[in-house]
Amino acid sequence: MARSIYIAENGAGAGKSAVALGIAELLSRRVPELGVFRPLVVDADRDDTIDLIRARYGVDIPRAELYGVTYAEAAAMVADGRREDLLAHIVDRYRAVDRRCGAVVVVGSDFDDGHHKAAGGLSRELAFNARLATEFGSVVVAVVNGAASEAAALPDQARSAYHSLTDLDATVAAVVINRAPPSPPSATNQLLSALRPPDLPVPSFVIPAVATLGAPTVAEVAAALGAEVVTGDSAALGRDVLGYVVGAAQVPQVLAHLTPGALIITPGDRNDLLVATAAAQVAGVTSAAGIVLTLGIEPDPVALKVFEGLGSGLAVLRVETGSFGTIAASTRIEHRLSAAYPRKVEAALGVFESYVDGGELSRVLDVSRSTRVTPMMFEYELLDRARADRRRVVLPEGTEERILRAADTLLRRGAADLTLLGDPDTVRRKARDLGLDLEAADVVDPVTSDLRDGFAEQYVELRRHKGMTSDLAHDVMRDVNYFGTMMVHNGHADGMVSGSVHTTAATIRPAFEIVKTRPGVSVASSVFLMLLPDRVLVYGDCAVNPDPDATQLADIALSSAETAAAFGIEPRVAMLSYSTGASGAGADVTKVAEATERVRKLRPDLPVDGPIQYDAAIDPAVASTKMPDSTVAGRATVFVFPDLNTGNNTYKAVQRSAGAVAVGPVLQGLRRPVNDLSRGATVKDIVNTVAITAVQAALSQ
């Protein structure tokens, strides 16, 4: 039976959806088929929590099957005296999900949203959730609203939640105090010490409140107010609203009181404030969330044209209500996590992972790790490993939008420290326009950096034999890839990732010139980590060496095996050819055979076979016929191609035809990690590559 974790909220507004998301993230690394279930939903056609977990973790069950009943249906059944029928129906619906999943996250019911009055006896929320958790066979994670009490009272609240649930025969695995008042580590440790056995016999965690998580976006404010969007793209509408300022005073006074992230609410005829806010935003004087024009007044067309021409990145909304009514309605709006706002999701996960010990929580939840490795499990394992030994990665393409979005995600998840290269004003402005928080990143301009002269002198010494001069070297250090590589070479960064707008040659040439290969490695090479639906394979070399000789091919195999092992993949190396064993002959087959023998001599402990055809390497049925005594055939995890033509075409064919996720190319054999991106790389690809680079950096120390 699937392992089931029931998230029960002790008091409304505790943020159980964010905790459920964090637990789903944790479980997704251990089981390939994750499920989600809600006993009651408000709307049969939409539930933000179900939709988010279903979309993010690939839950392959129709959303209509992932809940018990609606509140209205529950109320009707209770009114008819059919309480037990209601419970039985919800349990039956849950069991259907349970049978199809390796683990299920159950997000408990919440009757404090106005529906409990209609549901009559169902208003006994805690008892209802405890009963369902018992019927489901779930362990419970109790979530306490840390914002509802003073910090000193939180231990009592946590103990009360635990005992209330256990008195109702629920099995409580952990208690999470969520949205606790932000406090220094010493205060948090003191709070946790008050929650240790025997006072509380289960693990407890304290997650502080983060303003941006509860803050609605401009789009959510617009929807709640029924506002017309006068101007503003998706990035402008995605800004967080951290406060409100009424634009009733003169321009200098309003701007002086404008706090970061505040939404300005002002009558529609304040064209002066409209233009001044845009100008102040562009100048970096303010950082507003947007503007709401009240009283149904259309802004002056000329003023609006000036506003748009300034390119402030702010949205303008228009409502029919007055300023007082608008701000009163706005302050009641709270953000709900949903798939529509991935930046919020990443922020919520970052906070959860920073304050909840995933290893301890996994232990008490007792979810065994699957032997299968799905792409999602592999990707999350990468982030975990990067976070565990955090390194600094330099991103030379610091003004590229995909890089900035990936940087935002990486910083929120705590996967790496980052240095972005580019003009600081340009980088910060672009980040602000995109609604991204990159304050934790360093921004360095190679053109004006104090490091440039020293890097140029070093480069002259490294390339003097090639005729390098001081003047030329000084010019070369304007190039972001050369500057970034020199940062890695000098220890200012642990690794580098580039290539989203640069060619592979432009990215890796500086690494070959400056970082160079490790001792004993004849050639730097690359692999792609091929994330198939049920496993991860390593393909090398698919990006660097056009036609390696036998010695180089052996080095590529050894480096690829090391890379596989570094990322938790047991290396079984297939040296690929158009011939299996002694079935064919020719120079290309001979090269592979010689490389195979060299690998065996250098690493007698490493399972390797070749020459071998791809089908015999991957398919057990074919292997049993062609190479029945091989320990690699049919079970290979590392595939070494004889040349770049074969490797590059094969990885792309598998990527497109099998729906595999290709992560890479990952460079190997260098003294320090430098990795290339495809120019078509997505934000997710960049996040994965930076995480891989951080892990490589930690391993190379």
Side-chain angles (χ1 to χ4, degrees):
M1 187 174 72
R3 195 53 158 153
S4 173
I5 295 87
Y6 198 109
I7 316 299
E9 191 171 69
N10 188 43
K16 63 178 177 291
S17 293
V19 174
L21 176 68
I23 290 175
E25 184 90 357
L26 187 67
L27 297 182
S28 70
R29 304 166 194 174
R30 307 184 71 83
V31 296
E33 297 93 7
L34 181 67
V36 60
F37 187 81
R38 295 205 74 171
L40 298 179
V41 296
V42 176
D43 187 344
D45 297 321
R46 176 184 174 180
D47 183 275
D48 285 337
T49 303
I50 289 177
D51 294 340
L52 170 58
I53 293 178
R54 182 170 180 265
R56 182 175 179 85
Y57 303 107
V59 178
D60 191 23
I61 300 174
R63 73 168 316 282
E65 299 175 23
L66 296 175
Y67 70 92
V69 295
T70 65
Y71 281 97
E73 290 168 337
M77 294 180 76
V78 170
D80 289 342
R82 300 169 56 205
R83 181 188 303 275
E84 291 302 313
D85 288 345
L86 169 62
L87 290 168
H89 179 73
I90 293 173
V91 171
D92 285 344
R93 298 268 292 179
Y94 165 77
R95 294 293 180 205
V97 174
D98 175 86
R99 285 191 292 270
R100 299 172 64 178
C101 301
V104 182
V105 177
V106 182
V107 186
S109 300
D110 177 5
F111 306 114
D112 291 327
D113 55 5
H115 298 274
H116 62 287
K117 294 180 181 178
L122 286 179
S123 60
R124 291 174 294 184
E125 175 186 348
L126 199 63
F128 181 69
N129 282 313
R131 170 75 183 276
L132 283 178
T134 302
E135 297 291 351
F136 292 174
S138 305
V139 296
V140 176
V141 174
V143 184
V144 176
N145 187 354
S149 303
E150 297 294 329
L154 290 177
D156 288 338
Q157 294 284 349
R159 287 189 286 267
S160 175
Y162 170 80
H163 290 296
S164 296
L165 285 162
T166 54
D167 288 348
L168 292 166
D169 297 323
T171 301
V172 180
V175 176
V176 177
I177 298 175
N178 193 32
R179 297 181 174 176
S183 55
S186 58
T188 301
N189 292 335
Q190 184 177 1
L191 175 58
L192 285 171
S193 66
L195 296 173
R196 294 190 180 119
D199 294 326
L200 195 62
V202 296
S204 56
F205 308 97
V206 178
I207 303 176
V210 177
T212 56
L213 289 184
T217 63
V218 175
E220 288 174 308
V221 172
L225 297 178
E228 171 196 349
V229 179
V230 177
T231 186
D233 58 15
S234 59
L237 293 170
R239 288 178 180 273
D240 295 330
V241 178
L242 301 178
Y244 300 89
V245 170
V246 177
Q250 294 184 4
V251 167
Q253 291 299 318
V254 175
L255 296 181
H257 287 83
L258 189 58
T259 56
L263 188 69
I264 299 175
I265 297 175
T266 190
D269 58 2
R270 287 296 305 273
N271 299 306
D272 57 336
L273 185 55
L274 185 71
V275 173
T277 302
Q281 190 86 357
V282 172
V285 175
T286 61
S287 182
I291 301 173
V292 180
L293 303 178
T294 64
L295 301 173
I297 301 173
E298 294 275 1
D300 180 78
V302 175
L304 184 61
K305 186 174 182 179
V306 172
F307 177 92
E308 292 174 331
L310 286 168
S312 65
L314 296 176
V316 176
L317 312 178
R318 187 174 69 88
V319 297
E320 298 294 328
T321 52
S323 296
F324 179 81
T326 302
I327 199 165
S330 298
T331 54
R332 294 192 293 268
I333 303 168
E334 184 175 355
H335 170 75
R336 293 183 180 274
L337 285 174
S338 76
Y341 301 103
R343 183 169 54 85
K344 295 269 194 178
V345 171
E346 297 297 341
L349 288 171
V351 175
F352 183 91
E353 291 163 344
S354 296
Y355 290 91
V356 174
D357 184 332
E360 184 177 17
L361 187 55
S362 293
R363 178 181 59 78
V364 297
L365 296 181
D366 190 28
V367 180
S368 299
R369 182 178 292 274
S370 170
T371 56
R372 290 178 57 196
V373 180
T374 67
M376 185 176 296
M377 293 167 70
F378 182 81
E379 290 168 356
Y380 295 155
E381 182 71 20
L382 275 180
L383 289 176
D384 270 352
R385 292 185 62 185
R387 190 182 302 110
D389 194 352
R390 191 159 166 166
R391 299 287 163 159
R392 178 168 294 279
V393 178
V394 59
L395 304 175
E397 298 157 327
T399 57
E400 162 63 24
E401 179 177 336
R402 288 167 295 159
I403 295 293
L404 293 173
R405 292 191 181 280
D408 180 75
T409 297
L410 289 158
L411 291 171
R412 289 178 185 277
R413 301 298 299 276
D417 295 319
L418 300 177
T419 298
L420 302 171
L421 300 188
D423 174 63
D425 290 339
T426 302
V427 172
R428 299 294 184 195
R429 184 178 69 252
K430 285 196 172 186
R432 186 172 65 245
D433 290 347
L434 293 169
L436 306 176
D437 181 7
L438 300 182
E439 290 303 313
D442 289 342
V443 182
V444 176
D445 186 353
V447 176
T448 60
S449 172
D450 293 340
L451 297 172
R452 182 179 173 188
D453 291 341
F455 286 175
E457 291 176 9
Q458 283 184 293
Y459 189 63
V460 169
E461 293 303 315
L462 288 169
R463 304 294 291 174
R464 191 182 298 278
H465 64 289
K466 294 291 185 178
M468 182 57 57
T469 65
S470 295
D471 287 344
L472 182 55
H474 201 261
D475 287 340
V476 169
M477 286 304 127
R478 293 175 61 98
D479 183 289
V480 291
N481 286 315
Y482 273 94
F483 189 92
T485 304
M486 195 63 82
M487 289 188 73
V488 174
H489 179 64
N490 284 277
H492 297 290
D494 300 301
M496 184 180 96
V497 174
S498 188
S500 68
V501 293
H502 289 91
T503 64
T504 294
T507 299
I508 67 176
R509 185 186 300 111
F512 292 161
E513 293 179 3
I514 298 168
V515 175
K516 301 182 179 178
T517 58
R518 298 198 312 266
V521 176
S522 66
V523 63
S525 58
S526 73
V527 294
F528 277 90
L529 301 174
M530 303 297 292
L531 312 187
L532 297 169
D534 61 346
R535 53 188 156 168
V536 180
L537 303 177
V538 176
Y539 284 8
D541 174 7
C542 305
V544 177
N545 297 286
D547 188 17
D549 59 28
T551 299
Q552 292 171 329
L553 197 61
D555 268 6
I556 292 169
L558 292 170
S559 294
S560 300
E562 289 180 10
T563 299
F567 292 101
I569 303 163
E570 183 181 351
R572 292 186 290 272
V573 182
M575 306 294 287
L576 297 175
S577 174
Y578 60 78
S579 169
T580 294
S583 65
D588 292 337
V589 178
T590 300
K591 178 179 78 169
V592 174
E594 291 176 358
T596 303
E597 288 306 312
R598 180 174 174 80
V599 172
R600 286 175 176 153
K601 289 179 181 178
L602 293 172
R603 283 284 306 276
D605 61 309
L606 181 66
V608 59
D609 228 328
I612 185 171
Q613 292 163 289
Y614 190 93
D615 59 347
I618 199 168
D619 189 328
V622 176
S624 65
T625 300
K626 292 187 174 183
M627 298 187 77
D629 299 324
S630 173
T631 59
V632 172
R635 303 173 62 238
T637 56
V638 178
F639 296 76
V640 180
F641 296 93
D643 53 59
L644 187 59
N645 181 54
T646 307
N648 192 270
N649 280 292
T650 302
Y651 106 75
K652 289 182 178 178
V654 172
Q655 180 185 32
R656 299 302 177 187
S657 61
V661 177
V663 179
V666 178
L667 298 186
Q668 53 190 15
L670 295 171
R671 293 175 185 267
R672 289 174 176 266
V674 173
N675 283 315
D676 182 34
L677 295 166
S678 163
R679 276 172 283 177
T682 65
V683 171
K684 185 178 181 181
D685 294 334
I686 298 167
V687 170
N688 285 338
T689 303
V690 172
I692 284 173
T693 305
V695 172
Q696 286 180 307
L699 293 171
S700 67
Q701 297 300 310

